[in-house]
Amino acid sequence: MTLTLDMGWLAPHAKGMVRQICVCATSAFRQAERASVELYAILGAGCVFAFSRLGKTLAALSETNETLARLDKNRSLLLKETAHGVANNFATVAALLSMRSVLIDDAKAKRSLEEAVE
């Protein structure tokens, strides 16, 4: 940035002071501009780092979610198989009680076994 002033109306000794003030103002402006550029560079580097970290975190979370979904599916399958096995065991016990009830002559005992099967 270049500053030009018409200093014809100033006293000769004041012209040097005005020039010095202009040089200082220009220098301060350049320093502020340099600081702005440095701040933007730092901000840009911070954004790159943050987005990189965010991407890695999202990838890890995605992998964790896939693992949890797979484990949930396996657990659900095991639960269904266990429920099926328990139902089969109850059916076996019911069949054995029903077979025993046929062999028993006591009416009260027979009724109790038939109620247990239901």
PDB file of all heavy atoms in Angstrom, residues 24-45:
ATOM      1  N   CYS A  24       5.478   4.720   9.298  1.00  0.00           N
ATOM      2  CA  CYS A  24       5.088   3.901  10.449  1.00  0.00           C
ATOM      3  C   CYS A  24       3.718   3.277  10.226  1.00  0.00           C
ATOM      4  O   CYS A  24       3.497   2.110  10.538  1.00  0.00           O
ATOM      5  CB  CYS A  24       5.084   4.728  11.727  1.00  0.00           C
ATOM      6  SG  CYS A  24       6.737   5.156  12.307  1.00  0.00           S
ATOM      7  N   ALA A  25       2.794   4.058   9.688  1.00  0.00           N
ATOM      8  CA  ALA A  25       1.449   3.539   9.436  1.00  0.00           C
ATOM      9  C   ALA A  25       1.500   2.430   8.402  1.00  0.00           C
ATOM     10  O   ALA A  25       0.834   1.399   8.531  1.00  0.00           O
ATOM     11  CB  ALA A  25       0.524   4.668   8.986  1.00  0.00           C
ATOM     12  N   THR A  26       2.315   2.632   7.348  1.00  0.00           N
ATOM     13  CA  THR A  26       2.456   1.610   6.320  1.00  0.00           C
ATOM     14  C   THR A  26       3.083   0.353   6.908  1.00  0.00           C
ATOM     15  O   THR A  26       2.655  -0.768   6.628  1.00  0.00           O
ATOM     16  CB  THR A  26       3.309   2.138   5.151  1.00  0.00           C
ATOM     17  OG1 THR A  26       2.698   3.311   4.653  1.00  0.00           O
ATOM     18  CG2 THR A  26       3.424   1.118   4.052  1.00  0.00           C
ATOM     19  N   SER A  27       4.090   0.514   7.740  1.00  0.00           N
ATOM     20  CA  SER A  27       4.747  -0.622   8.380  1.00  0.00           C
ATOM     21  C   SER A  27       3.775  -1.363   9.292  1.00  0.00           C
ATOM     22  O   SER A  27       3.726  -2.582   9.305  1.00  0.00           O
ATOM     23  CB  SER A  27       5.959  -0.138   9.169  1.00  0.00           C
ATOM     24  OG  SER A  27       6.556  -1.199   9.861  1.00  0.00           O
ATOM     25  N   ALA A  28       2.999  -0.623  10.044  1.00  0.00           N
ATOM     26  CA  ALA A  28       2.013  -1.242  10.939  1.00  0.00           C
ATOM     27  C   ALA A  28       0.967  -1.992  10.135  1.00  0.00           C
ATOM     28  O   ALA A  28       0.543  -3.090  10.500  1.00  0.00           O
ATOM     29  CB  ALA A  28       1.354  -0.181  11.820  1.00  0.00           C
ATOM     30  N   PHE A  29       0.554  -1.391   8.999  1.00  0.00           N
ATOM     31  CA  PHE A  29      -0.421  -2.050   8.150  1.00  0.00           C
ATOM     32  C   PHE A  29       0.142  -3.361   7.607  1.00  0.00           C
ATOM     33  O   PHE A  29      -0.540  -4.373   7.595  1.00  0.00           O
ATOM     34  CB  PHE A  29      -0.832  -1.118   6.999  1.00  0.00           C
ATOM     35  CG  PHE A  29      -1.800  -1.746   6.049  1.00  0.00           C
ATOM     36  CD1 PHE A  29      -3.136  -1.889   6.400  1.00  0.00           C
ATOM     37  CD2 PHE A  29      -1.372  -2.201   4.804  1.00  0.00           C
ATOM     38  CE1 PHE A  29      -4.024  -2.471   5.519  1.00  0.00           C
ATOM     39  CE2 PHE A  29      -2.263  -2.784   3.935  1.00  0.00           C
ATOM     40  CZ  PHE A  29      -3.596  -2.926   4.291  1.00  0.00           C
ATOM     41  N   ARG A  30       1.404  -3.340   7.177  1.00  0.00           N
ATOM     42  CA  ARG A  30       2.042  -4.551   6.653  1.00  0.00           C
ATOM     43  C   ARG A  30       2.171  -5.615   7.737  1.00  0.00           C
ATOM     44  O   ARG A  30       1.972  -6.797   7.496  1.00  0.00           O
ATOM     45  CB  ARG A  30       3.405  -4.221   6.053  1.00  0.00           C
ATOM     46  CG  ARG A  30       3.302  -3.511   4.731  1.00  0.00           C
ATOM     47  CD  ARG A  30       4.646  -3.289   4.098  1.00  0.00           C
ATOM     48  NE  ARG A  30       4.498  -2.544   2.858  1.00  0.00           N
ATOM     49  CZ  ARG A  30       5.357  -1.664   2.415  1.00  0.00           C
ATOM     50  NH1 ARG A  30       6.459  -1.400   3.097  1.00  0.00           N
ATOM     51  NH2 ARG A  30       5.157  -1.032   1.280  1.00  0.00           N
ATOM     52  N   GLN A  31       2.497  -5.178   8.953  1.00  0.00           N
ATOM     53  CA  GLN A  31       2.605  -6.137  10.052  1.00  0.00           C
ATOM     54  C   GLN A  31       1.238  -6.747  10.370  1.00  0.00           C
ATOM     55  O   GLN A  31       1.128  -7.942  10.614  1.00  0.00           O
ATOM     56  CB  GLN A  31       3.188  -5.465  11.296  1.00  0.00           C
ATOM     57  CG  GLN A  31       4.672  -5.182  11.186  1.00  0.00           C
ATOM     58  CD  GLN A  31       5.191  -4.421  12.397  1.00  0.00           C
ATOM     59  OE1 GLN A  31       4.423  -3.964  13.224  1.00  0.00           O
ATOM     60  NE2 GLN A  31       6.510  -4.287  12.486  1.00  0.00           N
ATOM     61  N   ALA A  32       0.213  -5.915  10.345  1.00  0.00           N
ATOM     62  CA  ALA A  32      -1.133  -6.421  10.602  1.00  0.00           C
ATOM     63  C   ALA A  32      -1.554  -7.373   9.496  1.00  0.00           C
ATOM     64  O   ALA A  32      -2.169  -8.414   9.757  1.00  0.00           O
ATOM     65  CB  ALA A  32      -2.115  -5.263  10.719  1.00  0.00           C
ATOM     66  N   GLU A  33      -1.215  -7.031   8.265  1.00  0.00           N
ATOM     67  CA  GLU A  33      -1.531  -7.893   7.134  1.00  0.00           C
ATOM     68  C   GLU A  33      -0.797  -9.226   7.259  1.00  0.00           C
ATOM     69  O   GLU A  33      -1.362 -10.291   7.030  1.00  0.00           O
ATOM     70  CB  GLU A  33      -1.144  -7.182   5.831  1.00  0.00           C
ATOM     71  CG  GLU A  33      -1.721  -7.811   4.598  1.00  0.00           C
ATOM     72  CD  GLU A  33      -1.413  -6.963   3.371  1.00  0.00           C
ATOM     73  OE1 GLU A  33      -0.216  -6.774   3.069  1.00  0.00           O
ATOM     74  OE2 GLU A  33      -2.372  -6.484   2.741  1.00  0.00           O
ATOM     75  N   ARG A  34       0.487  -9.165   7.637  1.00  0.00           N
ATOM     76  CA  ARG A  34       1.286 -10.368   7.829  1.00  0.00           C
ATOM     77  C   ARG A  34       0.690 -11.222   8.955  1.00  0.00           C
ATOM     78  O   ARG A  34       0.583 -12.442   8.848  1.00  0.00           O
ATOM     79  CB  ARG A  34       2.730 -10.001   8.159  1.00  0.00           C
ATOM     80  CG  ARG A  34       3.665 -11.185   8.157  1.00  0.00           C
ATOM     81  CD  ARG A  34       5.122 -10.784   8.396  1.00  0.00           C
ATOM     82  NE  ARG A  34       5.566  -9.736   7.492  1.00  0.00           N
ATOM     83  CZ  ARG A  34       6.140  -8.596   7.888  1.00  0.00           C
ATOM     84  NH1 ARG A  34       6.346  -8.358   9.165  1.00  0.00           N
ATOM     85  NH2 ARG A  34       6.507  -7.687   7.005  1.00  0.00           N
ATOM     86  N   ALA A  35       0.265 -10.569  10.023  1.00  0.00           N
ATOM     87  CA  ALA A  35      -0.349 -11.289  11.145  1.00  0.00           C
ATOM     88  C   ALA A  35      -1.654 -11.948  10.703  1.00  0.00           C
ATOM     89  O   ALA A  35      -1.944 -13.080  11.100  1.00  0.00           O
ATOM     90  CB  ALA A  35      -0.595 -10.336  12.309  1.00  0.00           C
ATOM     91  N   SER A  36      -2.410 -11.258   9.866  1.00  0.00           N
ATOM     92  CA  SER A  36      -3.651 -11.840   9.356  1.00  0.00           C
ATOM     93  C   SER A  36      -3.364 -13.082   8.531  1.00  0.00           C
ATOM     94  O   SER A  36      -4.041 -14.097   8.663  1.00  0.00           O
ATOM     95  CB  SER A  36      -4.410 -10.831   8.499  1.00  0.00           C
ATOM     96  OG  SER A  36      -4.861  -9.764   9.282  1.00  0.00           O
ATOM     97  N   VAL A  37      -2.369 -13.004   7.671  1.00  0.00           N
ATOM     98  CA  VAL A  37      -2.001 -14.146   6.845  1.00  0.00           C
ATOM     99  C   VAL A  37      -1.547 -15.305   7.729  1.00  0.00           C
ATOM    100  O   VAL A  37      -1.918 -16.461   7.507  1.00  0.00           O
ATOM    101  CB  VAL A  37      -0.901 -13.759   5.828  1.00  0.00           C
ATOM    102  CG1 VAL A  37      -0.330 -14.981   5.145  1.00  0.00           C
ATOM    103  CG2 VAL A  37      -1.459 -12.777   4.807  1.00  0.00           C
ATOM    104  N   GLU A  38      -0.739 -14.988   8.752  1.00  0.00           N
ATOM    105  CA  GLU A  38      -0.280 -16.039   9.665  1.00  0.00           C
ATOM    106  C   GLU A  38      -1.453 -16.675  10.407  1.00  0.00           C
ATOM    107  O   GLU A  38      -1.500 -17.890  10.575  1.00  0.00           O
ATOM    108  CB  GLU A  38       0.739 -15.481  10.650  1.00  0.00           C
ATOM    109  CG  GLU A  38       2.072 -15.149  10.006  1.00  0.00           C
ATOM    110  CD  GLU A  38       3.023 -14.414  10.950  1.00  0.00           C
ATOM    111  OE1 GLU A  38       2.598 -14.066  12.080  1.00  0.00           O
ATOM    112  OE2 GLU A  38       4.178 -14.196  10.553  1.00  0.00           O
ATOM    113  N   LEU A  39      -2.395 -15.849  10.825  1.00  0.00           N
ATOM    114  CA  LEU A  39      -3.569 -16.383  11.521  1.00  0.00           C
ATOM    115  C   LEU A  39      -4.389 -17.279  10.600  1.00  0.00           C
ATOM    116  O   LEU A  39      -4.864 -18.338  11.014  1.00  0.00           O
ATOM    117  CB  LEU A  39      -4.435 -15.250  12.069  1.00  0.00           C
ATOM    118  CG  LEU A  39      -3.891 -14.546  13.308  1.00  0.00           C
ATOM    119  CD1 LEU A  39      -4.776 -13.367  13.683  1.00  0.00           C
ATOM    120  CD2 LEU A  39      -3.804 -15.514  14.475  1.00  0.00           C
ATOM    121  N   TYR A  40      -4.559 -16.855   9.352  1.00  0.00           N
ATOM    122  CA  TYR A  40      -5.287 -17.689   8.395  1.00  0.00           C
ATOM    123  C   TYR A  40      -4.552 -19.001   8.145  1.00  0.00           C
ATOM    124  O   TYR A  40      -5.178 -20.050   8.009  1.00  0.00           O
ATOM    125  CB  TYR A  40      -5.524 -16.951   7.077  1.00  0.00           C
ATOM    126  CG  TYR A  40      -6.672 -15.978   7.136  1.00  0.00           C
ATOM    127  CD1 TYR A  40      -6.476 -14.628   6.888  1.00  0.00           C
ATOM    128  CD2 TYR A  40      -7.952 -16.404   7.453  1.00  0.00           C
ATOM    129  CE1 TYR A  40      -7.532 -13.726   6.944  1.00  0.00           C
ATOM    130  CE2 TYR A  40      -9.008 -15.519   7.513  1.00  0.00           C
ATOM    131  CZ  TYR A  40      -8.792 -14.183   7.257  1.00  0.00           C
ATOM    132  OH  TYR A  40      -9.837 -13.303   7.318  1.00  0.00           O
ATOM    133  N   ALA A  41      -3.242 -18.963   8.090  1.00  0.00           N
ATOM    134  CA  ALA A  41      -2.457 -20.194   7.899  1.00  0.00           C
ATOM    135  C   ALA A  41      -2.632 -21.127   9.090  1.00  0.00           C
ATOM    136  O   ALA A  41      -2.813 -22.339   8.927  1.00  0.00           O
ATOM    137  CB  ALA A  41      -0.985 -19.853   7.699  1.00  0.00           C
ATOM    138  N   ILE A  42      -2.585 -20.562  10.299  1.00  0.00           N
ATOM    139  CA  ILE A  42      -2.782 -21.379  11.499  1.00  0.00           C
ATOM    140  C   ILE A  42      -4.198 -21.951  11.522  1.00  0.00           C
ATOM    141  O   ILE A  42      -4.397 -23.137  11.828  1.00  0.00           O
ATOM    142  CB  ILE A  42      -2.496 -20.542  12.765  1.00  0.00           C
ATOM    143  CG1 ILE A  42      -1.000 -20.227  12.846  1.00  0.00           C
ATOM    144  CG2 ILE A  42      -2.965 -21.256  14.018  1.00  0.00           C
ATOM    145  CD1 ILE A  42      -0.638 -19.203  13.909  1.00  0.00           C
ATOM    146  N   LEU A  43      -5.168 -21.123  11.190  1.00  0.00           N
ATOM    147  CA  LEU A  43      -6.550 -21.575  11.153  1.00  0.00           C
ATOM    148  C   LEU A  43      -6.733 -22.689  10.114  1.00  0.00           C
ATOM    149  O   LEU A  43      -7.390 -23.693  10.381  1.00  0.00           O
ATOM    150  CB  LEU A  43      -7.477 -20.402  10.837  1.00  0.00           C
ATOM    151  CG  LEU A  43      -8.962 -20.714  10.758  1.00  0.00           C
ATOM    152  CD1 LEU A  43      -9.478 -21.180  12.109  1.00  0.00           C
ATOM    153  CD2 LEU A  43      -9.737 -19.493  10.296  1.00  0.00           C
ATOM    154  N   GLY A  44      -6.133 -22.518   8.948  1.00  0.00           N
ATOM    155  CA  GLY A  44      -6.215 -23.545   7.903  1.00  0.00           C
ATOM    156  C   GLY A  44      -5.586 -24.850   8.348  1.00  0.00           C
ATOM    157  O   GLY A  44      -6.154 -25.929   8.146  1.00  0.00           O
ATOM    158  N   ALA A  45      -4.415 -24.771   8.975  1.00  0.00           N
ATOM    159  CA  ALA A  45      -3.747 -25.986   9.462  1.00  0.00           C
ATOM    160  C   ALA A  45      -4.583 -26.648  10.549  1.00  0.00           C
ATOM    161  O   ALA A  45      -4.703 -27.886  10.590  1.00  0.00           O
ATOM    162  CB  ALA A  45      -2.360 -25.638   9.996  1.00  0.00           C
TER     163      ALA A  45
END
